[in-house]
Amino acid sequence: MADEMNVLVTLNAGYLPPLKVMLWSLHANNPAEKIHLWLVHAEMTPAEVASVEQLTTAFGWDLSNVKVTPDFVAQTPLIERYPQEMYFRLLCGQILPATVHRVIYLDPDIVVINEIRPLWELDLGGKMLAAAVHRGVTNLVDSVNKIRLGTTTSYFNSGVLVIDVDQAREKINAEDITATIEKYSDLLILPDQDILNFLYGNDILEIDEEVWNYDTRKYLIYQTRNLTQHDIHWVMQHTVLLHYCGTPKPWDASSDSKFTSLFLNYQQQVDRFVAAAEPVEEVES
């Protein structure tokens, strides 16, 4: 068996349902892989953690429940409207044990539809991170973000990251993040993602968005950009990570996109598994 892959998720309990769908899809399309899931959070209950462990145990994975201490949370930057957990991915070098050297970070609003190992084995070429850029038909949005943040690199999406944790321990700290937020808070639209690009953009290796961070809102844009070559058949064969960016989310009743049904199918599967595993209460005679 190939070496164990470290997968990092950082979230609050509100995103537990889509997380379970993501984990289910990851196992369904990588059934032979040994995964070590690092569940990093600030305030999940034992019952909520146990609901994740139910899946990891069934998959034969390892689970590390990492509850961030109140002292660490106190120094974590927090902008109103955004949960503090979004910063835990950037600060994973200070949170995870020294034995962890590399992780794949995944947002919970992702489904995995092909083999993820090539991402795990990616040569970072000395960079600290790998991430994708969500470009349109042109690079207009990318250019606007460069001007807004005063950066020279492309604008990377933080939903999928390969992280050299050893480098992150040396280069990323809460003090730098806090200072940047205090100085540029009026310019920050997506705080953790803006911070990622503003402070660490030069240390990021770009990966193919249509393979590793496919924005499900942009099917027609991808089609236009690739002269209709990357149709749904191409996506199902080549794309690995579908990212349900923006709103509505696929679990919302108002969602009706090309990729909504795929998410809902995985959701049905995991819900059926959980329901079947629930103990049946005995009826008194």
Side-chain angles (χ1 to χ4, degrees), residues 20-262:
K20 295 173 186 177
V21 176
M22 186 270 281
L23 297 178
W24 185 271
S25 69
L26 174 57
H27 177 259
N29 292 291
N30 296 266
E33 292 289 0
K34 180 72 171 178
I35 304 284
H36 191 137
L37 182 69
W38 296 88
L39 177 65
V40 177
H41 61 97
E43 51 191 19
M44 283 191 198
T45 66
E48 289 163 346
V49 174
S51 71
V52 178
E53 189 174 18
Q54 179 188 30
L55 294 181
T56 57
T57 299
F59 300 158
W61 297 355
D62 293 322
L63 172 66
S64 288
N65 169 35
V66 183
K67 189 169 186 176
V68 178
T69 65
D71 288 342
F72 189 90
V73 170
Q75 65 169 331
T76 303
L78 180 62
I79 290 183
E80 191 177 356
R81 295 182 297 120
Y82 295 96
Q84 62 197 358
E85 287 84 0
M86 64 168 46
Y87 294 100
F88 293 168
R89 75 191 84 174
L90 294 180
L91 295 166
C92 67
Q94 281 69 54
I95 297 172
L96 301 178
T99 52
V100 180
H101 305 292
R102 171 181 284 217
V103 297
I104 296 174
Y105 168 83
L106 297 175
D107 269 355
D109 57 348
I110 282 172
V111 295
V112 185
I113 62 173
N114 279 302
E115 294 181 1
I116 200 172
R117 175 156 291 275
L119 186 62
W120 173 251
E121 296 178 345
L122 177 70
D123 182 358
L124 290 175
K127 298 285 190 179
M128 177 172 63
L129 302 153
V133 176
H134 283 164
R135 293 187 172 89
V137 177
T138 67
N139 289 331
L140 178 60
V141 175
D142 202 20
S143 299
V144 169
N145 281 313
K146 287 180 183 179
I147 295 171
R148 178 172 64 87
L149 297 175
T151 56
T152 58
T153 61
S154 293
Y155 187 76
F156 295 95
N157 182 272
S158 61
V160 176
L161 300 171
V162 182
I163 305 174
D164 181 332
V165 184
D166 292 324
Q167 287 197 54
R169 290 189 183 99
E170 297 177 2
K171 299 178 180 179
I172 302 178
N173 59 74
E175 291 78 12
D176 289 344
I177 295 174
T178 300
T180 302
I181 289 174
E182 290 175 347
K183 186 174 181 179
Y184 299 103
S185 60
D186 291 343
L187 299 176
L188 303 181
I189 297 174
L190 298 173
D192 73 310
Q193 191 162 279
D194 284 351
I195 292 296
L196 171 75
N197 285 275
F198 185 81
L199 290 179
Y200 312 112
N202 288 316
D203 217 348
I204 301 176
L205 174 72
E206 183 174 348
I207 54 179
D208 186 350
E209 64 170 310
E210 288 191 59
V211 175
W212 298 115
N213 194 338
Y214 189 105
D215 187 337
T216 57
R217 300 170 298 180
K218 296 184 175 181
Y219 176 75
L220 293 178
I221 291 176
Y222 292 140
Q223 280 280 74
T224 301
R225 201 168 70 190
N226 293 287
L227 303 177
T228 72
Q229 294 177 18
H230 292 186
D231 61 9
I232 194 65
H233 301 279
W234 186 96
V235 171
M236 295 307 298
Q237 183 176 357
H238 297 282
T239 297
V240 178
L241 303 175
L242 292 174
H243 192 180
Y244 293 87
C245 303
T247 56
K249 294 299 186 186
W251 55 88
D252 294 332
S254 58
S255 177
D256 190 19
S257 76
K258 182 175 288 291
F259 297 100
T260 298
S261 60
L262 183 59

